[in-house]
Amino acid sequence: MYLFQRSVDLQNWLETVRGHNRKIGFVPTMGALHDGHLSLIRQSAAENSFTVCSIFVNPTQFNDASDLEKYPRTPGNDIELLVGSGCNALFLPTVEEVYPTDLDTSVSVDLHPLDTVMEGAFRPGHFAGVVQVVYRLLQLVQPDQLYMGQKDYQQLTIIREMIRQLELPVKLVMVPIRREPDGLAMSSRNVRLSPAFRAIAPVIHRILQQVKEQVDEKSVSELEAWAMQQLAEAGLRPEYFEIVDGNTLKAISSLSKTKSAVACMAAWAGDIRLIDNMIL
Ligand code: AMP
């Protein structure tokens, strides 16, 4: 596996491997890698000739300075995990490399209302930062296929919309959520959970499953209210639990009238914010 810190070196290498019907797969991450990230790498490696992974803790998507500061950074361990995972090149840029002071990296896309609901309501400005970094990384890597996790369902929907509006020549591939054996969705933030909250957190997956089981019996608002109550009773502080249209992310009134519905939630486990979702 190659390791590039400068975009010019990554691009020089990409020039040598591109072409001849060879596909490039790209997996952008913020590091502190776990098996969820590696499932994206493995899928990309199986479907492309070359796989590029980036690790960049993007400052523009953090609306809380202390969250950015506390975000886990484990580059040595990440490199060890990537070697042997099928990744051909790791891009590990500095902030200056991604956002050179003499370059305008802003992106103009109208995401409304995708970026103002759910995560967007609780993390103002977050998705503008996500769009900015993914666009910039796509410009640098120019992959054929972009791999993103269902774990961040709203993020994926927004990137799909960005690709559509800007007519970017890349195919977006959604990779299912990888979970711990007890159901907790793998996340870089999980290592920061206290033992007590780590024991409670799997309730999120159980609640999502029970919601899925009850879609024929209860209304959307009953299911949402029930799930919020269950999360709170378990000792978490839920921010939202919403059943939305899987494409537009708009609230839905009736499950029977919707082709694709997804239940999305966020809750605090102590001072760690967890998100999860389930396609219904
Ligand atoms: P992050 O490093 O949190 O920005 O995540 C990088 C990519 O990995 C995103 O596309 C995430 O959706 C994806 N990802 C994170 N956790 C998981 C998981 N448990 N299962 C599948 N994909 C994941």
Side-chain angles (χ1 to χ4, degrees), residues 266-277:
W268 289 90
D271 59 352
I272 309 299
R273 190 169 179 278
L274 300 175
I275 60 168
D276 204 341
N277 66 79

Side-chain angles (χ1 to χ4, degrees), residues 11-31:
Q11 286 173 317
N12 283 341
W13 173 77
L14 281 165
E15 235 171 74
T16 67
V17 301
R18 219 187 283 280
H20 310 290
N21 282 332
R22 292 177 184 151
K23 283 204 167 124
I24 310 276
F26 177 45
V27 182
T29 80
M30 297 207 298

Side-chain angles (χ1 to χ4, degrees), residues 48-210:
N48 298 277
S49 312
F50 292 94
T51 290
V52 178
C53 171
S54 64
I55 295 181
F56 179 62
V57 183
N58 174 35
T60 69
Q61 72 186 70
F62 284 82
N63 50 329
D64 175 347
S66 89
D67 192 24
L68 169 63
E69 195 188 310
K70 283 195 242 151
Y71 200 83
R73 290 166 174 87
T74 57
N77 193 51
D78 292 348
I79 292 169
E80 270 181 40
L81 287 173
L82 285 173
V83 171
S85 70
C87 178
N88 302 101
L90 167 62
F91 183 40
L92 198 65
T94 58
V95 173
E96 173 59 23
E97 197 68 28
V98 177
Y99 302 124
T101 37
D102 56 355
L103 188 75
D104 180 7
T105 54
S106 59
V107 192
S108 175
V109 278
D110 178 12
L111 299 166
H112 188 78
L114 297 177
D115 61 341
T116 48
V117 297
M118 300 193 291
E119 289 301 286
F122 287 92
R123 302 182 70 189
H126 169 65
F127 287 119
V130 169
V131 162
Q132 180 185 26
V133 75
V134 174
Y135 180 75
R136 173 82 176 122
L137 292 169
L138 285 175
Q139 294 302 104
L140 292 174
V141 179
Q142 311 233 338
D144 299 283
Q145 315 212 74
L146 169 65
Y147 290 80
M148 300 190 82
Q150 182 201 325
K151 165 86 189 333
D152 299 274
Y153 192 91
Q154 187 172 4
Q155 166 174 285
L156 190 140
T157 306
I158 282 171
I159 295 302
R160 185 191 293 129
E161 180 60 15
M162 176 192 84
I163 290 171
R164 193 191 70 77
Q165 281 185 29
L166 302 179
E167 299 182 356
L168 302 181
V170 63
K171 181 180 163 209
L172 178 62
V173 180
M174 177 167 88
V175 180
I177 303 175
R178 289 281 292 181
R179 297 181 179 280
E180 300 291 352
D182 61 14
L184 177 64
M186 290 182 181
S187 164
S188 305
R189 293 169 197 267
N190 291 353
V191 293
R192 292 181 45 222
L193 288 169
S194 69
F197 278 114
R198 175 63 189 83
I200 294 173
V203 75
I204 294 171
H205 183 234
R206 290 199 294 277
I207 293 169
L208 284 164
Q209 278 178 315
Q210 287 174 40

